[in-house]
Amino acid sequence: MLDKICLALSIIGSLNWGLVGLFQFDLVAWIFQGSDSILSRIIYTVIALAGIWCISLLFRKRSCD
């Protein structure tokens, strides 16, 4: 379950970076009133931690579910 949550957060983060790259629009900053707000910084940190967790997915053996 944690893997799926982290993967979803990583996808959300990548979509946000896509918006920044293509349109110079930071959705997280827009929602939480600026990139320097404490809520934005928490969201950025949680998404970064999720991305770091997802690195472990690259090195795990696949199991048949």
Side-chain angles (χ1 to χ4, degrees):
M1 185 66 171
L2 182 61
D3 293 342
K4 290 181 181 181
I5 291 169
C6 289
L7 186 58
L9 288 172
S10 295
I11 291 168
I12 290 168
S14 68
L15 292 173
N16 188 56
W17 275 110
L19 287 172
V20 171
L22 292 172
F23 305 111
Q24 297 180 354
F25 178 71
D26 187 344
L27 184 62
V28 173
W30 181 74
I31 290 172
F32 296 107
Q33 287 79 38
S35 61
D36 290 333
S37 76
I38 190 70
L39 288 175
S40 292
R41 294 175 58 97
I42 290 170
I43 297 297
Y44 294 140
T45 302
V46 168
I47 290 175
L49 291 172
I52 291 168
W53 179 266
C54 286
I55 292 171
S56 72
L57 298 176
L58 294 172
F59 301 104
R60 289 192 203 163
K61 292 186 178 187
R62 296 188 75 178
S63 63
C64 296
D65 289 62

